[in-house]
Amino acid sequence: MIPDFAKDMIANWRLGHIATADQEGRPNLSPKGTFVVHDDATIGFAAIRSPDTLANIAVRPEVEVSFVDILTRRSVLLKGQARIVTQDASDFPALSRPYRKLWPDLTLHATAIVVISVTSCRPTCSPAYDVGAESDELRAQWMRQINNINIQHKSAEVTHAD
């Protein structure tokens, strides 16, 4: 269900934006930086500072998650059913193992692991590809942009430090 390109994107860009809805159908979009692939049909994240996301999943477990390669402007959209595994659940120790390995200090603050059974997975990409853009040129362009942003931030830090 989860193809290799999607597994690679999740491993390289762990930040996913998860869309949930509350009881009345009001949307919530939340970035989560601790996504892992558990197996060919399951992803998950450590629930840290996630009260709205957890509350929404408790009443409406259908979710969508988007991962974006900010350099090539390619992305993957996964849909599925989420379940909340709390620290007192019998499967929590086994499920939390990859999170503790990747983020040992951060996962001490996890109140739960959210496990998503993926029902669909599809790639998406920037309209720039429709007009002939290539991944390598987009990557180079956005690397320059990121470098410029970093230079601006460093300048601002020096200016504000005085």
Side-chain angles (χ1 to χ4, degrees):
M1 174 57 70
I2 304 173
D4 288 342
F5 79 87
K7 291 177 184 176
D8 291 344
M9 184 167 296
I10 294 166
N12 290 324
W13 302 96
R14 299 224 183 252
L15 178 65
H17 288 81
I18 183 166
T20 61
D22 67 13
Q23 183 80 28
E24 288 77 35
R26 290 183 298 252
N28 178 60
L29 183 66
S30 184
K32 303 297 176 195
T34 58
F35 272 97
V36 300
V37 176
H38 285 276
D39 57 42
D40 287 342
T42 312
I43 63 172
F45 67 91
I48 303 167
R49 296 185 188 174
S50 304
D52 294 338
T53 301
L54 295 178
N56 290 350
I57 289 170
V59 296
R60 289 188 171 199
E62 302 86 5
V63 299
E64 289 189 2
V65 185
S66 177
F67 297 91
V68 179
D69 177 334
I70 63 171
L71 300 177
T72 64
R73 296 306 201 239
R74 293 185 182 274
S75 63
V76 63
L77 178 64
L78 298 102
K79 294 182 182 189
Q81 296 287 315
R83 71 180 173 95
I84 300 165
V85 180
T86 58
Q87 291 178 339
D88 59 350
S90 62
D91 54 346
F92 185 85
L95 282 172
S96 65
R97 215 170 277 128
Y99 303 93
R100 289 192 318 266
K101 182 178 178 185
L102 289 165
W103 305 283
D105 295 332
L106 188 59
T107 52
L108 295 174
H109 303 284
T111 58
I113 301 294
V114 175
V115 178
I116 302 168
S117 297
V118 176
T119 57
S120 74
C121 177
R122 69 178 175 91
T124 61
C125 64
S126 168
Y129 290 98
D130 296 343
V131 295
E134 299 286 334
S135 291
D136 287 343
E137 91 186 40
L138 287 174
R139 188 178 294 109
Q141 171 191 339
W142 287 106
M143 285 297 293
R144 285 190 300 274
Q145 178 68 13
I146 289 168
N147 187 50
N148 290 338
I149 291 168
N150 283 335
I151 290 169
Q152 291 170 5
H153 285 209
K154 285 182 180 179
S155 295
E157 290 168 3
V158 170
T159 303
H160 293 347
D162 295 336

